[in-house]
Amino acid sequence: MSTVLEAAKVPYIQVLDETGKVVNPDRMPKLSDDELRELMKRMVFIRILDQRAIKLSRQGRLGFYAPAGGQEAAMIGSEYALQRDDFILPGYRDVPQLLYHGWPLYQWILFSRGHQHGTEIPEGVNVLIPQIIIGAQYVQTAGVALAFKLRDEKRIAITYTGDGGTSQGDFYEGINFAGAFQVPAVFVVQNNQFAISVPVELQTAAETLAQKAVAAGIPGFQVDGNDILAMYSVTKEAADRARAGDGPTLIEALTFRFGPHTMSGDDPTRYRTKELENEWERRDPLVRFRKFLEDKGLWTPEEEERVMEEAREEINAALKKADAYPKMTVPSLIDSMFEVLPESLKAQRQEFAGQEEA
Amino acid sequence: MAQMTMVQAVNNALDVELGRDKSVLVFGEDVGQNGGVFRATDGLQAKYGKDRVFDTPLAESGIIGLANGLAMQGFRPVAEIQFFGFVFEAMDEIAGQAARMRFRTNGRYTCPLVVRSPFGGGNKTPEMHADSLEGLFVQTPGLRVVIPSNPYDAKGLLISAIRDNDPVIFLEHMKLYRSLRAEVPEEAYTVPLDKANVVREGRDLTVIAYGAMVHTALKAAEELAKQRGVQAEVIDLRSVNPIDIETIVTSVKKTHRAVVVQEAQRSAGAAAEIIAQINEHAIYHLEGPVLRVTPPDTVYPFAQIEDEWIPDSAQVLRGFDKVLSL
Ligand SMILES: Cc1ncc(C[n+]2csc(CCOP(=O)(O)OP(=O)(O)O)c2C)c(N)n1
């Protein structure tokens, strides 16, 4: 019994503590000052975008939105460890990674508003649109990564889900297939403690989510998900291993979402205490990293203000572009169904084209 | 009598049955503490305890598998699939297992399971939330598929479903959850599971609909009467598996023309089955072909054009005109 529990112990990794002090110098990633500043810029940008998206949702100017605030370090840190041609299979909350991997901001806005053009990922951008079906992306990741392996490409596939997602059969199938085929994949679980209202203690009797890697026979790590340096470091290592042909990794990032589950009517006061929220606010990923950079003389309030201003401008420009985009039509939807439309659908296309004129 | 919305009527039906029968259990994702993402189970955990109303881990196949196990042990599980688009995850446990339980044990075990789930379009939800997938279960022998169109029916049908000894898929149209109120008795009552309801009488045209389309069809029928003085008879099916063909045939024998209005895509769904049965039972009473007013055969669209995609009363009215002209 105890040997089993011993085997299930996974390392917990932190580089910066909550005050921004380096607690694990061996884990300190080799990043230049510019790269360190870039990480902060991205987190500030995403924080501003998140706040704006929440406002826009309330005004009815956005459609579906699952707030990212609080999880910036886990999202930005892991994406920053990737190369351009690595492939991301995201969940619905993972918009920040997609934006930094090349999904244009205005297309995300269209996607949120339910416009099909938003989903047309540009050539050369290696991402899928956010997956709604929890777990589906995990099994597909094994396949994407196997394709890279079969073609002998030095690329990896990375996927994301939440703590709730680890309960799906697809989660286990995905990490097990990836292990069985030893494919170049990285599986990230952002454990933000709640699946909508359900606390992680109700999802599983397992002490950590990372230990689920043990049963799949792959390495598993639990990371302070609000520590961007730890997230970067562990993801980079996992990506390097995968690229070198050493198989997949499971990473559990401990974090917290500040906002509601989505902007479609969720009320966190029904399931979370104010104390818990305050506790996690103290661990805000931006606060800790800002402190770290300021101590090194790499960040100033003026710089932050400038980044915020740039973010606002970029978001406004993207909104304008999205607003100006022509509306969808039912015939164009029908056209998107097949390479060659069957006769039956051609007839329906005509019928609905006629209706739109009527 | 109390005025209730449909989601309140559902909540009330669960409350009444949990109170009446100790073997009734209610569970699913977010149904306990949170009371369901639509609040359909609001207050039930506080009232009946965590053993009878509870949150599950996030896994639809797990939820229905758990329910099947409980059902074969004599419980009456009412399991929620948070949105019906997620039902694919539980397809084996529903279609492969629950629907076959009685058959494969030759009646030794039964499966008095109710799968409750919100479905249907018009709410600008993200992908996979709004689909009308009832057709998949119309084609599954061993299941009942019930779809209420109003608060009174929702409560009476849900109580019947819970008391029924076979598995029932109970689909609650999201658009109807809060859009209408009606008188609903506080106490228990049942509405039979396989009896359609004539909600508007008429002698010129039979209109068959279910779920939210009942209201669209009624609106179009009023317009038809106003414009042309033609009286449509509107049938609210209530159940799409089985289909109450008797009520339909009785109407068709009177009107000689029929049209089905369906929110699901056109091909191979409930409408196709209804029309096949009309052909089998009443073809010599028809003066023209039976048509379907439906969306096209595409994936349920992204939110921006769902309102154009789902039949509205103008499109339904054009369908009426066409059926009357053939
Ligand atoms: C297959 C499936 N089941 C249920 C849902 C509904 N749903 C959306 S998010 C969610 C909770 C997910 O929690 P978690 O995996 O912890 O991720 P988080 O939202 O916290 O990032 C649920 C139940 C879904 N989208 N897909």
Side-chain angles (χ1 to χ4, degrees), chain A residues 24-319:
Chain A
N24 192 347
D26 296 347
R27 271 268 165 203
M28 188 64 199
K30 290 174 194 49
L31 291 169
S32 69
D33 288 352
D34 278 349
E35 287 172 320
L36 290 171
R37 268 200 297 264
E38 178 63 23
L39 286 177
M40 187 65 196
K41 278 186 198 163
R42 291 185 180 196
M43 287 206 289
V44 171
F45 183 95
I46 292 303
R47 182 63 60 87
I48 294 292
L49 180 66
D50 184 63
Q51 289 167 353
R52 189 70 193 280
I54 288 173
K55 266 204 209 105
L56 289 167
S57 296
R58 297 207 167 114
Q59 296 163 351
R61 291 184 62 200
L62 211 57
F64 172 65
Y65 182 59
Q71 300 184 210
E72 292 91 345
M75 293 169 166
I76 303 293
S78 57
E79 194 281 333
Y80 202 65
L82 304 179
Q83 296 179 3
R84 200 70 186 163
D85 62 354
D86 291 340
F87 198 95
I88 305 181
L89 295 96
Y92 44 82
R93 203 178 301 284
D94 302 307
V95 171
Q97 298 96 303
L98 303 185
L99 296 176
Y100 282 109
H101 219 61
W103 193 21
L105 190 56
Y106 89 97
Q107 280 194 290
W108 165 66
I109 295 167
L110 286 171
F111 163 80
S112 166
R113 291 175 176 173
H115 192 303
Q116 211 168 358
H117 175 61
T119 72
E120 246 174 270
I121 301 294
E123 202 58 48
V125 176
N126 296 296
V127 306
L128 271 179
I129 60 162
Q131 177 60 259
I132 295 293
I133 294 303
I134 293 169
Q137 71 275 31
Y138 256 57
V139 255
Q140 292 168 6
T141 295
V144 170
L146 181 57
F148 296 158
K149 180 175 172 173
L150 291 175
R151 286 199 302 250
D152 212 8
E153 295 173 346
K154 294 286 166 236
R155 304 166 70 184
I156 68 150
I158 186 168
T159 188
Y160 296 85
T161 192
D163 39 299
T166 64
S167 295
Q168 283 284 21
D170 283 355
F171 169 86
Y172 298 94
E173 293 173 29
I175 61 174
N176 187 57
F177 270 55
F181 290 106
Q182 284 296 297
V183 297
V186 177
F187 295 89
V188 180
V189 175
Q190 293 177 73
N191 177 359
N192 64 10
Q193 325 290 323
F194 288 89
I196 309 185
S197 71
V198 180
V200 65
E201 302 79 50
L202 293 187
Q203 293 291 343
T204 178
E207 201 179 320
T208 69
L209 301 176
Q211 77 192 53
K212 294 176 185 240
V214 175
I218 68 174
F221 296 89
Q222 194 183 48
V223 184
D224 181 338
N226 284 8
D227 172 359
I228 193 162
L229 295 180
M231 272 314 288
Y232 172 82
S233 155
V234 173
T235 313
K236 179 76 169 52
E237 227 177 68
D240 287 348
R241 258 199 317 277
R243 232 181 283 284
D246 293 334
T249 302
L250 178 66
I251 300 171
E252 173 189 8
L254 287 172
T255 184
F256 196 77
R257 86 173 128 75
F258 289 160
H261 169 67
T262 66
M263 295 310 296
S264 321
D266 179 51
D267 173 9
T269 64
R270 289 176 76 93
Y271 54 83
R272 284 194 325 208
T273 62
K274 197 78 212 142
E275 291 76 64
L276 187 68
E277 289 180 358
N278 292 341
E279 191 186 318
W280 279 93
E281 241 165 66
R282 277 202 305 278
R283 299 184 198 147
D284 186 326
L286 273 70
V287 170
R288 172 187 323 197
F289 197 55
R290 184 185 293 120
K291 186 81 180 39
F292 167 78
L293 289 180
E294 281 173 355
D295 288 351
K296 285 172 77 88
L298 292 176
W299 195 254
T300 60
E302 294 72 47
E303 173 129 24
E304 181 143 342
E305 194 42 59
R306 204 169 44 72
V307 174
M308 285 162 70
E309 196 42 46
E310 276 169 20
R312 289 184 200 110
E313 276 166 25
E314 203 177 322
I315 296 164
N316 284 340
L319 277 166

Side-chain angles (χ1 to χ4, degrees), chain B residues 19 34 65 69 124 139 157 173 226 242 308:
Chain B
N34 202 33
K124 304 270 186 276
Q139 219 210 24
L157 288 168
H173 200 290
K226 213 162 69 203
E308 281 110 276

Side-chain angles (χ1 to χ4, degrees), chain B residues 41-321:
Chain B
T41 54
D42 196 15
L44 298 178
Q45 185 177 69
K47 189 164 174 186
Y48 296 101
K50 287 184 178 170
D51 280 350
R52 298 195 56 210
V53 179
F54 53 89
D55 291 319
T56 65
L58 200 170
E60 288 73 18
S61 175
I63 291 168
I64 306 302
L66 189 82
N68 287 342
L70 287 161
M72 70 178 94
Q73 286 298 319
F75 281 95
R76 288 186 180 270
V78 185
E80 179 177 296
I81 298 290
Q82 195 165 76
F83 290 86
F84 205 51
F86 313 155
V87 75
F88 294 111
E89 296 282 336
M91 218 47 195
D92 178 59
E93 283 298 333
I94 295 176
Q97 307 300 325
R100 297 162 51 92
M101 183 104 67
R102 181 185 291 280
F103 152 81
R104 69 189 290 267
T105 64
N106 211 4
R108 172 67 181 84
Y109 297 115
T110 58
C111 193
L113 158 72
V114 179
V115 179
R116 277 188 49 244
S117 191
F119 84 114
N123 286 298
K124 304 270 186 276
T125 51
E127 265 187 287
M128 306 293 289
H129 283 65
D131 304 60
S132 292
L133 299 173
E134 65 277 6
L136 301 173
F137 302 93
V138 168
Q139 219 210 24
T140 305
L143 291 181
R144 290 176 175 277
V145 184
V146 174
I147 305 179
S149 72
N150 61 71
Y152 180 89
D153 282 1
K155 178 172 174 182
L157 288 168
L158 183 52
I159 291 177
S160 296
I162 293 171
R163 295 180 187 179
D164 193 83
N165 286 331
D166 288 302
V168 180
I169 309 294
F170 193 87
L171 300 180
E172 302 160 7
H173 200 290
M174 278 183 266
K175 198 84 189 166
L176 301 179
Y177 263 153
R178 294 188 166 82
S179 62
L180 37 126
R181 276 174 186 281
E183 304 254 294
V184 176
E186 300 273 4
E187 64 280 1
Y189 62 89
T190 57
V191 170
L193 287 182
D194 41 19
K195 201 82 204 99
N197 188 21
V198 178
V199 289
R200 185 185 197 279
E201 294 202 7
R203 57 189 177 328
D204 305 317
L205 170 68
T206 298
V207 182
I208 302 136
Y210 55 92
M213 283 299 120
V214 171
H215 304 280
T216 310
L218 278 170
K219 197 167 160 209
E222 291 308 322
E223 197 52 38
L224 181 72
K226 213 162 69 203
Q227 283 183 11
R228 302 179 48 178
V230 173
Q231 296 302 335
E233 179 147 299
V234 180
I235 298 176
D236 175 357
L237 267 189
R238 285 179 175 152
S239 161
V240 291
N241 187 13
I243 285 158
D244 175 10
I245 190 63
E246 220 180 286
T247 299
I248 296 172
V249 165
T250 305
S251 177
V252 168
K253 281 182 176 165
K254 175 171 71 175
T255 64
H256 310 295
R257 292 184 187 276
V259 57
V260 186
V261 183
Q262 173 180 280
E263 188 178 314
Q265 292 85 339
R266 183 159 308 168
S267 299
E273 177 56 27
I274 293 160
I275 294 169
Q277 291 198 30
I278 293 174
N279 280 343
E280 285 163 8
H281 295 276
I283 197 160
Y284 296 116
H285 297 275
L286 288 171
E287 279 172 22
V290 184
L291 298 188
R292 290 172 279 191
V293 180
T294 70
D297 285 319
T298 70
V299 167
Y300 189 90
F302 288 98
Q304 190 169 101
I305 52 158
E306 65 179 346
D307 290 340
E308 281 110 276
W309 188 84
I310 297 169
D312 61 7
S313 59
Q315 191 188 336
V316 173
L317 190 60
R318 280 197 296 278
F320 291 177
D321 286 337

